[in-house]
Amino acid sequence: MKNSKQTSLLLEEVEGIVQGHRDGHGFVIRDDGEADIYLPPNEMRAVLHKDRVKVRIVRSDRKGRPEGRVVEIVARSTQVIIGRLLCESGIWIVAPEDKRYGQDVMIPKAGTGLAKVGQVVVVELTEPPALFGQPVGRIKEVLGEMDDPGMEIEIAVRKYDVPHEFSDACIALARALPDSVRAQDKAQRIDLTDVALVTIDGEDARDFDDAVYCEPAKIGRGKAAVPGWRLLVAIADVSHYVENGSALDIDAYERATSVYFPRRVIPMLPEKLSNGLCSLNPELERLCLVCDMLVSEDGDVTAYQFYPAVMWSHARFTYTEVAAILANTRGPEAAKHPERVTDLMNLHDVYRALIKSRERRGAVDFETVETQIVCDEAGHIEKIVPRTRNDAHKLIEEAMLAANVCSADFIAQSKHVGLYRVHEGPTPEKIELLRNFLKIIGVGLSVSDAPTPAEFQAIAKATKDRPDAQQIQTMLLRSMQQAIYTPENSGHFGLAFEAYTHFTSPIRRYPDLLVHRVIKAILHKSKYQLPNLPTPGEQHAKLSKRLEKNLASRVKEPGQKPRKLSADMQAWQAAGLHCSANERRADEASRDVEAWLKCKYMRDHLGEEFGGVVSAVTSFGIFVTLDAMYVEGLVHITELGGEYYRFDEARQELRGERTGMRYALGTRVRVQVSRVDLDGRRIDFRLLTDSDGLLHSAPKERGLAYEGIDRKLFADDAGVASVGRHSRSMAEPLPRAGAAKRTGDAKTSAPAQAKDKTRQPRRRS
């Protein structure tokens, strides 16, 4: 019977997307969501990264992975390839910048155009690869020299297929819009121009989505009235200008989000809207959608209302300015805005009330270090510094969270379809892994089968004084899932709300724009209908499979089928998946650029020694984050000494079999920068031994900086990290020998009570 089952498995044919690897092999990500199928290098000769194929499982490889043979190429990827033009022995080729493609592209002399040797180019394939032939292409675009300022961004937007040029129709519509608010735009809106709304953002912000105002208020009537606050969160009314289904709308949907790079932003909307007409710039009339809330002294939103308004921003504050005013109301910053000091103090008071509510729910509040890259005029890193979050950041964050919760509650109570921001609890597999880890390291607390965020916070609080506190916090974070956009509301685990959505950033996030349209439809007692949006691409396929699995897992009775979605819900689900996938795409592109900049930065520090902390442990080595630089690199397992190290997944550590030497999350080490590979976005460290003056100690209590490097790219089958074709890479090895105030008629509701859970803090949610 067992042999029959194995034979059946070997005959199985499945479809999926090829995921190339820098070392020549690849994987097929299956459409059915099952385990990836390994493709050896000989099977990768006729296919490229992102091709759709049908494969037959032929065996299990030496690592126990299902190994496949390509039986059919269903569809070739249409994505362009970015690389550098080279001429070797009179033959023109392009070496792909993304090493997952695995093969050089042959370029006929007639296909080189105006490109010169060494330049970064965009290649369009004219002939796919074959078993005995390399792919052939032609140069579609010349990006410039590798060291040109901003080249890393030009590469990333094409590498990740980020839309970076607006359509002609979109640009024409934007140009036709007025430069300021017109009289007819103010019709049926509440006049809030005399309410002292202000914006509070970072120093380098150019688009202002939100403005806030707070004043003391009585909640209730007569003798039963209790003190509280009235909190106004005014959000740019993008939906007034971006009409449903228009060219502006289609372009915004295609992008789904603005993409933020150091020194550059790829906006979701044309600059005329994002930095002008929609942005809540100071001392200008602007249209907005307002969430008007009453907040009790305990931090509960007892009532809220939504209404369209016209506002006037009375000041543009930075977080630094507000923090200075809150710290000293008679200081120089306060003297510049004496008329706004009381308003800011009111905002601080309501923030402290909202914090009480957070603490009452048992909020997960991990202290991590966020970093900021400071670049020079040429776009090169000058320094990497920790980003400090002060009370100004936190009060804006709490105000936005409150408005987002009210938005979700308003949509849910109105029975209207919309997009929720859903964050599901840990999977059973992650719960079991976390339990084993906590048990092994001797933590007396654990998590239940259906854990609440309060359980996570209790563990973090109980272990905060342990030397391995950072290691424990990291494992708690890793057990959580990523949030997605979906019309199926199943709550937000991290924030501990029964319903949560994104309402506060419609200039830079498409889901927020949809939420605005839904809220307006409810206010007008109508139903919002999604326009005919473009079909989402393949990038959301994995998310779709995950959602299907989650729906299937909720079926309790045998034979019961998941509820079939209506056509309307399917359209909303597709929109949610598209927005979720593009959010991830934007994050990947941003991380890629940051990794490139950090690699270039570290080339100037080859041979230098630094102290650091182990920030990740894998079967092939440890990743170390440098204390002073906030940069992460790999110490390959071959650099750990002359003995066999065993990877303990439960403990998240490497342990030497002979000496018992341990390398775990949070372990302090001292390393030397030994290699920087710009093409591969990787930094290699050499571990300094005891004779080199290695300081080996318990984990230090501090936040870790995660660079978002795709750590899988560092793994290899041979057991030694390869760097690829040295003659064509930017690798620079170091020899081992060296040590060198008023409202109109609007619908008012009392919010549904949030679950007695915790809220995980978010940045400008």
Side-chain angles (χ1 to χ4, degrees):
M1 182 68 70
K2 183 176 179 180
N3 291 337
S4 175
K5 185 175 181 180
Q6 288 178 338
T7 302
S8 175
L9 177 65
L10 294 180
L11 293 175
E12 184 181 12
E13 292 187 1
V14 296
E15 277 194 24
I17 303 296
V18 174
Q19 182 81 22
H21 192 279
R22 62 180 288 118
D23 292 321
H25 60 263
F27 296 89
V28 174
I29 301 173
R30 298 170 57 151
D31 289 348
D32 58 13
E34 295 299 322
D36 297 346
I37 300 170
Y38 172 72
L39 292 180
N42 62 305
E43 288 295 324
M44 288 293 293
R45 290 176 186 164
V47 297
L48 286 175
H49 178 59
K50 293 191 175 181
D51 282 350
R52 170 169 286 278
V53 298
K54 180 181 288 185
V55 296
R56 178 183 295 123
I57 300 174
V58 293
R59 66 176 66 86
S60 292
D61 72 357
R62 60 188 175 85
K63 293 186 177 181
R65 301 172 295 192
E67 183 177 316
R69 177 178 299 157
V70 177
V71 295
E72 181 184 349
I73 299 170
V74 180
R76 292 288 187 180
S77 171
T78 58
Q79 188 163 340
V80 296
I81 297 175
I82 300 94
R84 275 180 289 178
L85 181 65
L86 304 172
C87 187
E88 297 184 350
S89 303
I91 299 174
W92 293 87
I93 62 172
V94 168
E97 188 276 340
D98 189 340
K99 299 308 175 187
R100 290 176 295 182
Y101 282 98
Q103 300 186 57
D104 294 334
V105 181
M106 308 288 289
I107 307 293
K109 177 60 178 174
T112 59
L114 300 176
K116 299 176 182 177
V117 173
Q119 287 187 318
V120 181
V121 297
V122 179
V123 174
E124 184 178 56
L125 292 186
T126 56
E127 294 180 28
L131 283 175
F132 303 103
Q134 289 177 262
V136 180
R138 68 176 183 85
I139 294 176
K140 181 181 178 182
E141 182 183 5
V142 178
L143 299 183
E145 303 297 333
M146 193 64 184
D147 287 331
D148 287 350
M151 178 55 66
E152 69 281 0
I153 297 174
E154 296 297 333
I155 292 173
V157 296
R158 291 162 179 83
K159 179 178 177 180
Y160 293 95
D161 202 20
V162 175
H164 58 284
E165 293 180 345
F166 290 105
S167 66
D168 292 340
C170 174
I171 294 172
L173 268 181
R175 285 174 178 167
L177 291 171
D179 294 323
S180 59
V181 176
R182 301 165 300 186
Q184 61 263 38
D185 297 325
K186 303 178 188 179
Q188 298 182 331
R189 289 179 179 270
I190 306 301
D191 185 355
L192 293 182
T193 53
D194 62 338
V195 176
L197 287 154
V198 298
T199 62
I200 305 174
D201 288 273
E203 279 79 0
D204 55 352
R206 295 180 61 197
D207 55 337
F208 306 110
D209 289 278
D210 54 87
V212 290
Y213 171 79
C214 184
E215 64 182 12
K218 291 290 184 180
I219 301 176
R221 297 182 178 179
K223 294 182 179 180
V226 294
W229 294 271
R230 179 186 175 199
L231 174 63
L232 272 68
V233 174
I235 306 299
D237 192 356
V238 176
S239 63
H240 181 83
Y241 299 106
V242 181
E243 295 183 4
N244 205 40
S246 67
L248 273 169
D249 194 28
I250 297 299
D251 274 35
Y253 174 76
E254 184 184 11
R255 297 175 179 225
T257 180
S258 296
V259 186
Y260 292 86
F261 300 108
R263 299 180 72 248
R264 183 179 170 189
V265 177
I266 307 291
M268 186 181 79
L269 297 169
E271 188 173 347
K272 182 169 183 177
L273 286 89
S274 60
N275 294 350
L277 189 56
C278 292
S279 183
L280 306 182
N281 297 325
E283 300 182 352
L284 289 171
E285 282 189 335
R286 286 292 183 259
L287 304 184
C288 59
L289 188 59
V290 178
C291 180
D292 194 338
M293 298 165 276
L294 288 177
V295 183
S296 71
E297 287 188 314
D298 291 329
D300 296 324
V301 178
T302 61
Y304 64 78
Q305 58 183 337
F306 288 94
Y307 50 85
V310 57
M311 62 161 283
W312 175 279
S313 175
H314 287 243
R316 181 270 200 260
F317 284 108
T318 67
Y319 294 121
T320 304
E321 289 172 333
V322 172
I325 292 171
L326 296 177
N328 184 3
T329 56
R330 296 185 179 181
E333 293 294 343
K336 296 177 184 177
H337 305 277
E339 69 285 356
R340 300 281 76 85
V341 172
T342 300
D343 297 339
L344 293 177
M345 296 304 293
N346 288 334
L347 279 168
H348 199 216
D349 288 341
V350 78
Y351 153 71
R352 285 187 289 215
L354 292 168
I355 284 296
K356 288 181 186 177
S357 177
R358 169 181 288 206
E359 291 173 350
R360 202 164 52 248
R361 285 189 294 270
V364 175
D365 192 9
F366 295 153
E367 286 299 325
T368 58
V369 173
E370 294 185 9
T371 59
Q372 178 181 1
I373 294 177
V374 180
C375 295
D376 58 22
E377 290 300 317
H380 302 139
I381 294 181
E382 282 188 342
K383 56 184 176 179
I384 302 171
V385 297
R387 190 190 297 270
T388 304
R389 291 186 68 246
N390 53 44
D391 275 7
H393 291 88
K394 296 173 184 177
L395 72 83
I396 288 296
E397 179 181 310
E398 288 298 324
M400 299 306 116
L401 287 174
N404 285 337
V405 170
C406 291
S407 305
D409 183 76
F410 190 57
I411 294 171
Q413 290 206 41
S414 302
K415 311 294 184 186
H416 198 296
V417 183
L419 280 186
Y420 296 94
R421 182 69 167 177
V422 167
H423 181 223
E424 296 182 340
T427 62
E429 295 79 13
K430 288 188 175 182
I431 290 173
E432 190 61 30
L433 185 64
L434 180 60
R435 281 175 176 165
N436 290 338
F437 173 75
L438 295 172
K439 182 179 180 181
I440 286 170
I441 64 173
V443 175
L445 299 174
S446 188
V447 291
S448 62
D449 290 338
T452 65
E455 294 176 40
F456 283 72
Q457 176 61 11
I459 294 169
K461 187 174 181 179
T463 59
K464 65 182 177 65
D465 294 326
R466 287 177 50 138
D468 58 353
Q470 199 64 53
Q471 180 182 0
I472 296 169
Q473 176 180 304
T474 300
M475 289 301 294
L476 290 172
L477 285 170
R478 288 181 180 176
S479 68
M480 297 183 183
Q481 297 190 62
Q482 282 187 295
I484 62 170
Y485 295 106
T486 172
E488 293 274 13
N489 176 36
S490 54
H492 196 294
F493 175 82
L495 297 176
F497 294 127
E498 288 184 344
Y500 184 76
T501 194
H502 279 169
F503 162 78
T504 55
S505 298
I507 290 177
R508 61 185 179 91
R509 290 189 308 224
Y510 194 81
D512 303 54
L513 175 57
L514 290 178
V515 166
H516 277 230
R517 289 173 176 167
V518 170
I519 289 174
K520 281 187 173 182
I522 296 170
L523 292 175
H524 289 99
K525 296 181 172 55
S526 61
K527 182 182 178 182
Y528 172 66
Q529 186 68 42
L530 278 173
N532 292 322
L533 297 168
T535 303
E538 287 184 346
Q539 69 266 25
H540 83 307
K542 286 183 72 175
L543 284 172
S544 179
K545 294 299 175 185
R546 169 187 153 187
L547 189 59
E548 287 177 11
K549 273 191 168 185
N550 289 344
L551 287 172
S553 68
R554 293 179 195 145
V555 176
K556 303 297 182 183
E557 299 178 11
Q560 182 184 355
K561 295 182 179 180
R563 180 170 58 87
K564 189 173 182 179
L565 298 178
S566 65
D568 190 35
M569 284 292 284
Q570 287 179 14
W572 277 95
Q573 187 182 76
L577 286 167
H578 172 79
C579 292
S580 301
N582 284 12
E583 176 186 41
R584 283 155 177 73
R585 178 180 68 182
D587 289 342
E588 288 172 359
S590 297
R591 284 196 296 265
D592 187 78
V593 167
E594 289 193 10
W596 191 94
L597 288 171
K598 288 177 179 178
C599 284
K600 196 164 186 179
Y601 179 51
M602 292 307 293
R603 285 195 305 176
D604 295 333
H605 298 279
L606 279 166
E608 294 183 25
E609 299 175 7
F610 300 93
V613 176
V614 175
S615 50
V617 183
T618 71
S619 60
F620 54 87
I622 57 175
F623 286 87
V624 176
T625 298
L626 305 182
D627 294 335
M629 315 290 280
Y630 300 97
V631 169
E632 188 180 63
L634 173 72
V635 178
H636 197 270
I637 197 166
T638 56
E639 294 282 352
L640 295 182
E643 67 171 309
Y644 182 79
Y645 279 84
R646 187 177 297 277
F647 176 54
D648 188 332
E649 185 178 12
R651 294 178 182 268
Q652 286 292 295
E653 71 175 23
L654 285 172
R655 181 188 292 267
E657 287 195 342
R658 179 172 54 84
T659 63
M661 176 67 76
R662 297 169 56 245
Y663 296 99
L665 293 176
T667 300
R668 292 202 56 77
V669 294
R670 190 160 184 82
V671 297
Q672 182 184 46
V673 183
S674 61
R675 179 185 293 275
V676 175
D677 179 5
L678 197 60
D679 288 345
R681 310 290 195 270
R682 61 179 287 173
I683 301 165
D684 289 339
F685 296 147
R686 183 173 77 88
L687 188 69
L688 298 182
T689 62
D690 292 332
S691 59
D692 292 321
L694 169 65
L695 298 176
H696 205 52
S697 64
K700 181 181 177 182
E701 294 179 47
R702 55 154 288 180
L704 300 181
Y706 293 93
E707 307 308 336
I709 294 173
D710 184 358
R711 296 184 175 114
K712 292 180 182 177
L713 295 180
F714 288 81
D716 63 278
D717 289 334
V720 178
S722 62
V723 186
R725 297 164 296 204
H726 296 266
S727 62
R728 296 180 195 157
S729 74
M730 295 292 289
E732 297 190 21
L734 179 78
R736 280 186 58 94
K741 182 159 203 252
R742 58 184 189 269
T743 65
D745 295 330
K747 189 167 182 177
T748 305
S749 305
Q753 294 300 310
K755 292 180 181 178
D756 186 19
K757 295 180 180 178
T758 181
R759 295 192 290 178
Q760 181 186 352
R762 292 182 60 82
R763 304 294 179 255
R764 297 301 298 271
S765 300

